[in-house]
């Protein structure tokens, strides 16, 4: 809910620099890294660096994170000796074995969660960002969001709008 | 006047209650207990055991399937096995028992496993995609955009990814929206009424095991009953005497005779699909056969090796379920922070349209809640005019992007397509692609 406009920490620079405010505002939305389907249906995310992150994080760090995630997923979905063994054993037990043991995919997903948590702590949180585990988004996207509170940025919107237009100051109900 | 316009937009009206849109209106009072996510799942599914098991809401003829299998097998074990054990071998009930267990367990697994449902996009994701569609190169679109498809090259083949208006996502390759279940399903094969569920990426191997083991069981029972009646009618007794002595065998014979052909045909068809790494949906639509005019098409997902295709489909790693069934729905307290995030897509556009005045602000502020199509209470009171870029179809438009698999099983001629209830759109009939000689109903409902 929007409260009455009041100036916060970054608001002074917001009022004077619309460009900077646009950057902050654009990253106050979530940035979504979509899937890369060029290799088929395997889980892989695009490594293209989003423009909204330009001022927030180094390109190499971001690309490393996404590439490592892609490697994890490739390992989980790899069709090789171990997956064949698991598949054949599962077939013989009418797939009831899936109820009892943790599959390789699930183990890799746990590793991915740990990796993302570690990256958030070491790389992204110090830069005011937060990565969400793709499994929480149905493996569709990797979402990044700004850790700074959105309320502060919303207040910037109202005050900037009031500054731009010549009408009376907006007072939200 | 401007102030009056501002006051008409009630910020509270822009609140969307939950990230996952509920299928039914929320109760007026706040429920005391925390609800699990399966209770607010938007698709047409049924959940058992507190979300541990999932099936389609329409169970189709699953009870009939189960009933027929149990009845026929029961009669076999009760009336035929004692005679055959006495006259032949005791391996017969053992083999029959193993096959029966395979059939029942794989049927239940097919019916009650998540087929690979893709969860619907969150409002932020949907807004992000809408933004990308409307302004692909940063220029404002002054005309209605064309149907939403995205092209991607997979293994030197151009594959079109379609936008799902219900789930608000671009469907991954091989994913299709099932109108019966109202979900996008990965590697969608077909919606099988006999098992009462979709067959997709996660439960295709269970389905294949089911039909293969059912073929063996049906053929086995058919053979054993024939042997039984033959043995009984020996010694000058005749077939009529044998049938009178064991009337249950007559019933088993009839059921097995009529079902074995269709089930064997279905097994053969799916063995072909597994060997070529195709889905029923793709086969029926002729996606990779060059029928749509493209000459240089081939299945981009095939490994071009029968063994590798079989292994990848049947023995590949088991992907996890992407829908969170047993998690808890966030309480209302934590939900109140989300409207701030939802407002931001509108706020971001506000900066760009700041100089255009307040009308632009009102329009974009009303835009983001309209994207959450299943939350009608979020519509602000002063929507100035309907925005053409918003979802152009009603939110619950049914999709017929799946092909209704014609059953080769017992009553294939009497099968009524269930999509006719919920899919008003015209459909194409793909009668040219037949992999079996059975009497498949040509009225496949498959839409692009």
């Amino acid at each position: 809910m929007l409260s009455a406009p009041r100036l916060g920490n970054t608001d002074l620079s917001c009022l004077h620099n619309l460009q900077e405010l646009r950057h902050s505002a654009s990253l106050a939305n979530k940035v979504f890294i979509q899937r890369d389907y060029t290799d088929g249906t395997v889980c892989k995310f695009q490594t293209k660096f989003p423009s909204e992150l330009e001022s927030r994080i180094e390109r190499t760090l971001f690309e490393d994170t996404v590439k490592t995630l892609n490697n994890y997923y490739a390992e989980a979905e790899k069709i090789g000796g171990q997956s064949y063994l698991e598949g054949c054993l599962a077939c013989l037990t009418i797939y009831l074995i899936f109820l009892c043991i943790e599959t390789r995919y699930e183990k890799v997903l746990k590793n991915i969660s740990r990796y993302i948590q570690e990256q958030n702590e070491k790389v992204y949180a110090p830069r005011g960002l937060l990565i969400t585990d793709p499994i929480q988004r149905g493996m569709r996207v990797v979402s990044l969001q700004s850790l700074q509170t959105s309320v502060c940025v919303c207040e910037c919107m109202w005050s900037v709008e009031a500054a731009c237009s010549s009408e009376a100051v907006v007072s939200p109900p | 006047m401007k102030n009056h316009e501002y006051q008409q937009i009630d910020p509270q009206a822009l609140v969307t209650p939950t990230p996952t849109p509920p299928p039914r209106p929320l109760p007026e009072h706040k429920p005391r207990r925390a609800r699990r996510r399966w209770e607010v799942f938007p698709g047409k599914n049924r959940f058992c055991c507190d979300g541990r098991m999932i099936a389609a809401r329409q169970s189709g003829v699953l009870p009939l399937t189960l009933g027929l299998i149990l009845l026929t097998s029961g009669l076999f074990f009760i009336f035929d096995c004692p005679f055959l054990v006495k006259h032949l071998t005791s391996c017969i009930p053992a083999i029959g028992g193993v096959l029966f267990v395979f059939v029942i367990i794989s049927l239940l697994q097919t019916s009650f496993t998540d087929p690979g449902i893709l969860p619907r996009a969150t409002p932020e994701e949907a807004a992000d995609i809408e933004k990308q569609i409307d302004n692909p190169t940063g220029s404002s679109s002054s005309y209605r955009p064309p149907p939403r498809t995205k092209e991607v090259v997979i293994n030197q083949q151009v594959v079109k990814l379609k936008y799902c208006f219900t789930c608000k996502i671009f469907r991954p390759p091989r994913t299709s929206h099932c109108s019966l279940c109202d979900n996008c399903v990965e590697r969608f094969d077909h919606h099988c009424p006999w098992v009462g569920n979709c067959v997709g990426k996660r439960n295709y191997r269970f389905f294949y095991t089911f039909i293969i083991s059912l073929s063996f069981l049906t053929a086995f029972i058919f053979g054993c009953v024939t042997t039984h009646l033959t043995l009984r009618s020996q010694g000058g007794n005749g077939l009529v005497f044998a049938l009178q002595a064991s009337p249950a065998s007559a019933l088993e014979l009839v059921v097995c005779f009529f079902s074995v052909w269709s089930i064997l045909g279905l097994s053969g068809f799916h063995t072909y699909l597994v060997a070529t790494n195709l889905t029923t949906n793709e086969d029926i639509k002729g996606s990779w056969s060059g029928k749509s005019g493209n000459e240089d098409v081939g299945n981009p997902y095939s490994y071009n090796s029968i063994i590798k295709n079989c292994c990848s489909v049947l023995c590949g790693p088991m992907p996890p379920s992407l829908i969170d069934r047993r998690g808890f729905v966030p309480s209302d307290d934590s939900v109140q922070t989300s409207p701030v995030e939802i407002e931001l897509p509108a706020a971001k556009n506000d900066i760009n349209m700041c100089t255009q005045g307040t009308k632009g602000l009102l329009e974009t502020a009303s835009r983001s809640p309209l994207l959450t199509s299943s939350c009608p209470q979020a519509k602000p009171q002063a929507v100035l005019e309907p925005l053409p870029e918003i979802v152009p179809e009603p939110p619950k438009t049914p999709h017929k992007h799946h092909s209704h698999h014609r059953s080769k099983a017992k009553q294939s001629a009497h099968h009524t397509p269930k999509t006719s209830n919920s899919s008003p759109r015209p459909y194409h009939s793909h009668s040219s692609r037949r992999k079996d000689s059975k009497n498949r109903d040509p009225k496949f409902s498959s839409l692009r």
Side-chain angles (χ1 to χ4, degrees):
Chain A
M1 179 172 165
L2 304 177
S3 54
R6 53 181 164 79
L7 297 180
N9 297 335
T10 60
D11 289 357
L12 283 173
S13 57
C14 288
L15 285 172
H16 297 297
N17 192 347
L18 203 58
Q19 188 71 25
E20 190 181 300
L21 181 59
R22 187 178 292 126
H23 263 298
S24 312
S26 64
L27 192 56
N29 301 338
K30 289 181 179 174
V31 175
F32 296 105
I33 316 298
Q34 300 286 341
R35 284 271 294 268
D36 178 9
Y37 293 115
T38 51
D39 284 344
T41 52
V42 291
C43 185
K44 192 176 163 191
F45 291 96
Q46 294 177 358
T47 49
K48 189 168 85 79
F49 188 64
S51 55
E52 293 96 331
L53 294 177
E54 264 166 25
S55 58
R56 300 299 298 266
I57 189 166
E58 293 84 354
R59 181 186 289 258
T60 49
L61 284 174
F62 169 80
E63 285 177 357
D64 279 345
T65 308
V66 180
K67 280 181 185 161
T68 310
L69 282 178
N70 288 342
N71 288 339
Y72 270 119
Y73 286 117
E75 183 199 328
E77 297 185 12
K78 191 174 70 167
I79 304 170
Q82 192 179 351
S83 74
Y84 288 157
L85 195 64
E86 203 177 68
C88 290
L89 188 67
C91 187
L92 289 173
T93 59
I94 333 173
Y95 305 104
L96 292 172
I97 204 165
F98 289 144
L99 301 171
C100 306
I101 65 165
E102 195 182 50
T103 62
R104 198 164 126 250
Y105 210 120
E106 284 164 353
K107 285 184 191 140
V108 175
L109 285 178
K110 284 193 176 160
N111 292 342
I112 289 172
S113 295
R114 265 198 298 269
Y115 172 73
I116 286 180
Q117 197 179 349
E118 180 198 315
Q119 286 284 292
N120 274 330
E121 283 166 11
K122 292 186 183 163
V123 176
Y124 289 89
R127 290 165 175 80
L129 293 170
L130 181 74
I131 284 192
T132 310
D133 195 338
I135 194 76
Q136 293 173 11
R137 298 285 176 265
M139 307 253 273
R140 290 186 306 265
V141 287
V142 176
S143 71
L144 281 114
Q145 63 189 70
S146 179
L147 277 179
Q148 65 178 329
T149 56
S150 318
V151 176
C152 178
V153 181
C154 261
E155 289 165 355
C156 286
M157 304 303 137
W158 287 106
S159 38
V160 166
E161 207 287 334
C164 282
S165 66
S166 57
E167 282 83 20
V169 173
V170 171
S171 57
Chain B
M1 268 46 68
K2 299 289 182 190
N3 280 339
H4 180 67
E5 278 177 334
Y6 271 110
Q7 285 164 11
Q8 281 180 338
I9 297 287
D10 182 7
Q12 295 301 328
L14 298 175
V15 170
T16 55
T18 55
T20 55
R24 53 187 182 275
L26 291 173
E28 290 302 321
H29 62 278
K30 208 197 306 190
R32 284 287 153 203
R33 64 170 184 85
R35 288 187 300 163
R36 293 210 187 249
R37 288 200 183 267
W38 66 265
E39 297 178 70
V40 296
F41 187 70
K44 292 181 191 167
N45 287 97
R46 196 191 310 213
F47 296 88
C48 312
C49 297
D50 199 22
R52 290 183 180 84
M53 300 200 296
I54 179 173
R57 189 171 295 170
Q58 296 179 17
S59 60
V61 292
L62 172 65
L64 176 68
T65 310
L66 263 176
L68 273 173
I69 293 170
L70 288 172
L71 176 72
T72 313
S73 307
L75 290 175
F76 171 72
F77 287 120
I78 293 169
F79 293 101
D80 295 278
C81 280
F83 182 89
L84 290 168
V85 164
K86 195 164 96 174
H87 287 83
L88 283 179
T89 169
S90 57
C91 286
I92 288 176
I95 296 170
V98 167
L99 287 173
F100 174 73
V101 165
F102 260 79
V103 165
I104 291 295
I105 291 182
S106 51
L107 170 63
L108 293 176
Q109 284 176 334
T110 312
S111 299
F112 294 111
T113 302
D114 171 14
I117 295 172
L118 280 178
R120 299 188 183 185
T122 57
E124 297 98 339
E125 280 178 62
D128 187 64
I129 292 176
E130 287 276 338
K131 183 185 70 180
Q132 285 171 22
I133 292 170
D134 290 339
N135 292 322
T137 55
S139 60
S140 64
S141 55
S142 56
Y143 64 98
R144 187 188 172 84
R148 298 174 181 184
T149 56
K150 203 160 69 169
E151 286 191 353
V152 67
V153 177
I154 299 174
N155 213 356
Q156 285 104 44
Q157 291 281 352
V158 174
V159 175
K160 276 197 175 138
L161 306 184
K162 297 187 192 85
Y163 183 77
C164 180
F165 290 101
T166 308
C167 303
K168 304 218 174 19
I169 54 171
F170 275 99
R171 287 193 211 112
R174 313 190 93 175
T175 301
S176 199
H177 190 96
C178 176
S179 62
L180 290 171
C181 302
D182 206 22
N183 292 312
C184 272
V185 177
E186 284 191 290
R187 204 186 181 277
F188 180 79
D189 194 85
H190 66 285
H191 182 99
C192 186
W194 297 99
V195 304
N197 200 5
C198 287
V199 178
K201 185 162 132 181
R202 294 190 74 245
N203 66 349
Y204 186 78
R205 62 192 76 195
F206 306 145
F207 176 75
Y208 188 73
T209 307
F210 167 62
I211 55 174
I212 294 288
S213 51
L214 186 61
S215 310
F216 280 114
L217 179 69
T218 317
F220 181 74
I221 291 180
F222 185 69
C224 288
V225 168
T226 309
T227 309
H228 175 201
L229 290 174
T230 307
L231 289 174
R232 272 197 192 268
S233 58
Q234 276 175 353
N237 293 327
L239 184 61
V240 175
F241 170 78
L243 286 171
Q244 282 173 346
S246 178
S249 303
L251 177 64
E252 292 167 51
L253 207 60
V254 165
V255 170
C256 288
F257 179 76
F258 285 111
S259 53
V260 72
W261 311 112
S262 41
I263 295 172
L264 275 175
L266 185 65
S267 303
F269 173 60
H270 277 278
T271 305
Y272 160 77
L273 291 182
V274 165
T276 51
N277 205 332
L278 274 176
T279 63
T280 306
N281 200 28
E282 288 164 352
D283 183 69
I284 284 172
K285 284 199 223 168
S287 309
W288 312 118
S289 65
K291 284 211 164 284
S292 47
N294 297 333
E295 293 306 320
D296 285 323
V297 291
N299 184 3
Y301 314 107
S302 171
Y303 294 95
N304 296 319
S305 153
I306 290 177
I307 293 176
K308 201 153 184 205
N309 281 337
C310 291
C311 289
S312 77
V313 175
L314 299 174
C315 296
M318 182 68 176
S321 176
L322 297 176
I323 53 171
D324 179 18
R325 300 193 290 273
R326 296 197 20 93
F328 288 98
V329 175
S331 63
D332 290 344
D333 291 333
S334 58
V335 161
Q336 278 167 5
T337 57
S338 63
V340 180
E341 290 174 305
I342 290 167
E343 275 211 46
L344 288 174
K348 174 183 182 254
N349 291 333
D350 291 343
I351 295 301
N352 297 328
M353 294 157 68
C354 161
T355 53
Q356 292 176 18
T358 56
K359 188 163 180 176
L361 172 64
L362 291 176
E363 284 179 354
T364 51
S366 65
R367 186 180 181 143
S368 63
L370 285 179
L371 289 174
T372 59
S373 54
S374 52
C375 298
Q377 65 271 26
K379 196 183 288 191
Q381 294 139 11
V383 173
L384 299 175
E385 61 200 26
L387 299 174
E389 293 86 5
I390 308 299
V391 179
E393 292 174 349
K396 295 296 179 190
T397 301
H399 288 262
K400 290 178 64 175
H401 292 269
H402 71 279
S403 55
H404 207 64
H405 179 74
R406 291 299 102 198
S407 64
K408 301 179 177 69
K410 294 123 192 166
Q411 291 106 15
S412 56
H414 301 291
H415 185 79
T416 53
K418 300 227 185 264
T419 54
S420 57
N421 298 334
S422 59
S423 305
R425 287 190 189 173
Y427 50 80
H428 301 283
S429 64
H430 295 262
S431 53
S432 56
R433 302 275 312 174
R434 301 292 171 87
K435 290 300 155 193
D436 62 313
S437 57
K438 296 304 120 191
N439 51 342
R440 264 175 143 184
D441 189 344
K443 291 197 204 105
F444 287 100
S445 54
S446 60
L447 270 191
R448 266 168 284 110

